[in-house]
Amino acid sequence: MENLSNIGLFVRVAERLSFSAVARESGLSPSTVGKSIARLEERLKVRLFHRSTRTLALTADGKVFLERCRRILSEIEAAELEMSQASEMPRGTLRISLPRYSGLFQQAISHFMQRYPAVELDLDFSDRLVDVIGEGFDAAIRASALSNSGLMRRRLCTFRRVLAASPEYLQEHGRPLHAKDLQHHACLHYRFPNTGRLEQWPISETQDIPELPRTLVCNSVEMRVHLSLQGQGIACLPDFTVGEHLSSGRLQTILDECTHNTVPLWIVWPASRNLSPKLRAFIDCMSEAVFQA
């Protein structure tokens, strides 16, 4: 602790270049501050300051040591802040970007609001690839982890993409038995907002993948689920968006043997920020709720 105290005094003297100014601020005598710096120099076996009757300046070694000391004190401050925040009640505003389809998160969001009423949620539902840091989001939930190296991440769950159609559609048009059969069916596609590209259906590379008809192209999960239920065609959909319809029999999956795939769902946040109590609580709540969904 004495070493830390001496380091703290050294940083303050280096920033103010005055023993007397630091002494006044610290409630110490100038000689006490000077002796503390002298002991530090003696232990390090280097001179940290050039001294004269009128000036005080850092030596080359002093400048190097100052940068190291600043990092040490910053880490200590961050550790103390983290420990003090751990016991705080989460409060304040959280700005979160989520996928446009909100069904997977409805119960989780409701549970979070009940548990943490002092947190104000600002939720942006969009499938575009947001700039988490540049646009000021506290966190984002995406099926891709986002390539920004300035982000931390946690995997919430994994899901499958399935090819689904209504029993009425399959009865009228026949059930595809091979991937090549899809070229004779109505196919409902998803277009990525950022790139404008169509989502590639998860058909095994061992299958003969045909050029799929573009019966419908849109950027809405809900619309493709609705049209599938109405017998308008086959859609590639995340399994969590159609779980109830598959259980009730209103939709059926096809070509399961050649659509084996898993997609991770991530929550990401800026690595440069301390994990505040409100953000930590949100991440934990989403992890618990989405895993159980």
Side-chain angles (χ1 to χ4, degrees), residues 7-249:
I7 287 174
L9 280 175
F10 162 73
V11 170
R12 293 169 68 182
V13 170
E15 291 175 343
R16 291 159 179 75
L17 295 178
S18 170
F19 286 146
S20 58
V22 173
R24 286 193 301 271
E25 295 169 0
S26 306
L28 303 172
S29 66
S31 63
T32 299
V33 175
K35 289 177 182 177
S36 174
I37 299 302
R39 287 195 298 271
L40 191 57
E41 290 178 322
E42 182 178 357
R43 188 171 69 253
L44 296 174
K45 294 181 172 55
V46 296
R47 182 172 291 277
L48 299 173
F49 293 96
H50 294 299
R51 299 172 176 83
S52 72
T53 56
R54 293 187 176 182
T55 62
L56 185 68
L58 281 167
T59 64
D61 288 332
K63 292 177 181 178
V64 172
F65 190 57
L66 175 61
E67 293 307 310
R68 292 289 185 94
C69 290
R70 280 173 169 163
R71 288 199 292 269
I72 291 170
L73 294 177
S74 177
E75 286 295 323
I76 293 173
E77 182 181 356
E80 291 176 344
L81 178 62
E82 184 176 347
M83 291 300 99
S84 64
Q85 287 180 334
S87 60
E88 291 181 5
M89 174 65 71
R91 65 180 65 252
T93 301
L94 271 179
R95 187 163 183 253
I96 309 293
S97 173
L98 303 98
R100 187 170 177 178
Y101 180 81
S102 62
L104 183 61
F105 311 103
Q106 289 172 352
Q107 291 299 321
I109 295 297
S110 177
H111 180 64
F112 179 84
M113 293 178 67
Q114 292 173 8
R115 186 186 293 184
Y116 303 107
V119 177
E120 300 173 359
L121 290 178
D122 182 351
L123 305 181
D124 178 66
F125 289 92
S126 170
D127 287 338
R128 69 183 180 85
L129 199 61
V130 301
D131 180 351
V132 178
I133 298 174
E135 296 182 43
F137 286 102
D138 293 293
I141 296 178
R142 286 295 183 271
S144 59
L146 308 182
S147 59
N148 191 316
S149 60
L151 299 175
M152 299 291 288
R153 67 180 186 176
R154 181 190 293 185
R155 190 167 71 173
L156 297 178
C157 66
T158 59
F159 62 90
R160 290 184 64 241
R161 291 182 297 153
V162 297
L163 305 185
S166 69
E168 294 78 13
Y169 174 88
L170 296 175
Q171 183 176 356
E172 181 179 351
H173 300 278
R175 177 181 292 273
L177 300 179
H178 305 282
K180 62 182 180 181
D181 297 337
L182 291 172
Q183 62 189 316
H184 304 299
H185 285 269
C187 297
L188 314 177
H189 293 274
Y190 175 79
R191 187 188 299 279
F192 291 105
N194 281 71
T195 64
R197 298 176 59 184
L198 296 188
E199 178 186 38
Q200 184 176 355
W201 287 17
I203 300 171
S204 170
E205 295 180 359
T206 61
Q207 301 289 317
D208 294 326
I209 305 175
E211 181 71 25
L212 301 179
R214 299 186 181 185
T215 309
L216 173 97
V217 176
C218 70
N219 65 348
S220 169
V221 172
E222 290 89 347
M223 177 57 71
R224 289 181 298 128
V225 171
H226 173 74
L227 293 175
S228 298
L229 289 168
Q230 297 303 309
Q232 297 297 317
I234 300 169
C236 175
L237 298 161
D239 58 3
F240 59 80
T241 67
V242 291
E244 293 183 5
H245 303 311
L246 294 176
S247 297
S248 68

